[in-house]
């Protein structure tokens, strides 16, 4: 049986389910082009999705892989994390082969986005599952007549069994901005990153793959085009302030995000930019 793509409703959201013959499955919402679930073959769910997430479109769904564009976090005058997380995207392509499934979703500027960010653009998000791997690619094109600049991220929520036991490897020696400590610039000196308190870091110019060890499971994390890596866990006190995540939700999630956050990316008219994140079961 070849791979397949099916339309479905996910908590009231129109979505697509990508399936491969080995039993891998991913669910992508047309609202925000957000990957909501990824279950590799013979494995457990690898993305965290809050059981208290809101699906009415008033806010982004808490979990999965929200798309941040044209602004990451509050680093600018636009709404936090940009303008496309709760917008409807359209299907540009869907394709299923012998052992892979692929979907590309697209959004362009609209009256709502133009009112706060008067730029013309096309954004496409391509999701591919195959052979224990989830690939997400964000392509942005300046379709206007003047340059614009942006920041962006794939805000990936990874599911972990117990965050205090998780180990993130590959960030040794990199400089980072610590938003949990008054935006101080620091340098990572540990062999592994362990989460023991609120963590909100933007690592700069990361050039090596990362490895997340979660008990007996390991996940490779690789990005291209995105120069930065964001590592975020709200911990107990921040988690308690959020209405769309359980009080203990922080224990089962760790955001490891592919990002362009430190410096804005500039696109001239007619130019495009591509950033990717790959998650690989090891």
């Amino acid at each position: 049986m070849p791979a397949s793509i099916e339309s479905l409703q996910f908590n009231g959201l129109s979505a697509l389910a990508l399936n491969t013959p080995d039993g891998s499955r991913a669910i992508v919402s047309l609202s925000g082009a957000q990957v909501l679930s990824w279950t590799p073959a013979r494995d457990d769910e690898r993305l965290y999705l809050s059981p208290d997430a809101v699906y009415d479109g008033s806010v982004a769904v808490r979990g999965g892989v929200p798309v941040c564009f044209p602004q990451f976090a509050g680093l600018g005058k636009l709404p936090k994390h940009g303008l496309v997380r709760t917008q409807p995207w359209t299907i540009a392509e869907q394709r299923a082969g012998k052992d892979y499934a692929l979907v590309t979703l697209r959004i362009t500027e609209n009256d709502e986005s133009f009112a706060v960010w008067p730029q013309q653009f096309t954004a496409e998000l391509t999701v591919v599952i195959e052979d224990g791997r989830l690939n997400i690619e964000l392509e942005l094109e300046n379709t206007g007549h003047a340059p614009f600049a942006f920041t962006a991220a794939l805000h990936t929520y990874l599911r972990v069994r117990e965050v205090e036991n998780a180990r993130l490897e590959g960030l040794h020696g990199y400089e980072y901005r610590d938003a949990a400590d008054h935006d101080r610039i620091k340098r990572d000196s540990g062999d592994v990153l362990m989460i023991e308190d609120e963590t909100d870091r933007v690592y700069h110019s990361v050039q090596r793959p990362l490895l997340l060890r979660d008990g007996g499971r390991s996940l490779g994390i690789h990005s291209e085009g995105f120069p930065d890596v964001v590592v975020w866990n709200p911990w107990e006190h921040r988690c308690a302030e959020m209405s769309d995540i359980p009080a203990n939700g922080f224990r089962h999630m760790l955001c490891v995000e592919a990002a362009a956050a430190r410096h804005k990316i500039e696109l001239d008219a007619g130019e495009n930019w591509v950033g990717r994140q790959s998650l690989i079961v090891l």
Side-chain angles (χ1 to χ4, degrees):
M1 175 183 286
S4 65
I5 301 173
E6 58 182 303
S7 299
L8 51 78
Q9 292 290 307
F10 188 94
N11 290 322
L13 297 178
S14 296
L16 297 172
L18 286 63
N19 305 284
T20 61
D22 65 2
S24 297
R25 182 176 175 88
I27 296 176
V28 187
S29 171
L30 299 188
S31 176
Q34 186 167 346
V35 182
L36 298 174
S37 172
W38 174 47
T39 310
R42 299 171 297 280
D43 201 351
D44 299 327
E45 175 65 59
R46 289 292 187 140
L47 299 179
Y48 177 81
L49 186 64
S50 170
D52 296 340
V54 177
Y55 295 91
D56 63 6
S58 61
V59 295
V61 175
R62 176 74 67 185
V65 188
V67 179
C68 304
F69 169 79
Q71 178 178 294
F72 171 71
L75 303 178
K77 298 179 180 179
L78 298 178
K80 184 178 181 181
H81 288 322
L83 305 172
V84 299
R85 294 189 304 158
T86 58
Q87 291 288 317
W89 294 52
T90 60
I91 301 171
E93 181 183 9
Q94 50 183 325
R95 189 167 72 244
K98 180 181 178 181
D99 55 3
Y100 75 91
L102 174 154
V103 63
T104 298
L105 302 181
R106 176 183 296 150
I107 192 171
T108 61
E109 78 283 348
N110 52 45
D111 290 344
E112 185 176 340
S113 72
F114 208 80
V116 293
W117 194 59
Q119 306 292 347
Q120 294 175 290
F121 68 90
T122 296
E124 289 190 343
L125 189 87
T126 299
V127 180
V128 186
I129 59 169
E130 59 179 332
D131 192 26
R133 186 182 186 107
L134 170 68
N135 295 322
I136 305 175
E137 176 181 285
L138 177 63
E139 181 172 1
L140 303 167
E141 181 181 1
N142 181 346
T143 56
H145 302 288
F148 65 64
F150 65 90
T151 54
L154 299 174
H155 197 309
T156 307
Y157 287 74
L158 299 175
R159 173 173 282 278
V160 294
R161 289 169 176 164
E162 172 52 63
V163 73
E164 289 181 272
N165 296 331
R167 304 288 185 269
L168 184 61
E169 301 177 8
L171 293 170
H172 172 77
Y174 284 112
E175 178 188 89
Y176 64 91
R177 177 176 58 82
D178 191 347
D181 188 16
H182 309 287
D183 285 333
R184 290 192 170 109
I185 301 299
K186 303 178 181 179
R187 190 169 297 277
D188 197 303
S189 59
D191 292 334
V192 299
L193 175 60
M194 300 169 59
I195 309 301
E196 299 169 321
D197 201 346
E198 180 188 358
T199 303
D200 192 352
R201 302 179 177 184
V202 179
Y203 285 84
H204 303 150
S205 303
V206 176
Q207 298 176 357
R208 67 173 75 108
L210 309 179
L211 177 65
L212 178 64
R213 298 188 185 276
D214 175 30
R217 307 191 305 172
S218 294
L219 188 71
I221 305 168
H222 178 66
S223 62
E224 300 174 63
F226 289 103
D228 305 318
V229 171
V230 178
V231 181
W232 179 67
N233 182 284
W235 207 247
E236 186 174 6
H237 52 294
R238 295 289 186 195
C239 198
E241 297 171 357
M242 302 176 187
S243 61
D244 58 354
I245 187 171
N248 69 341
F250 74 96
R251 293 194 173 279
H252 305 295
M253 57 149 283
L254 179 63
C255 286
V256 183
E257 311 167 33
R262 184 186 188 189
H263 300 300
K264 290 184 176 182
I265 294 172
E266 297 186 3
L267 277 187
D268 285 334
E271 286 189 341
N272 70 334
W273 170 89
V274 177
R276 303 179 185 89
Q277 186 184 56
S278 298
L279 306 178
I280 308 124
V281 174
L282 301 174

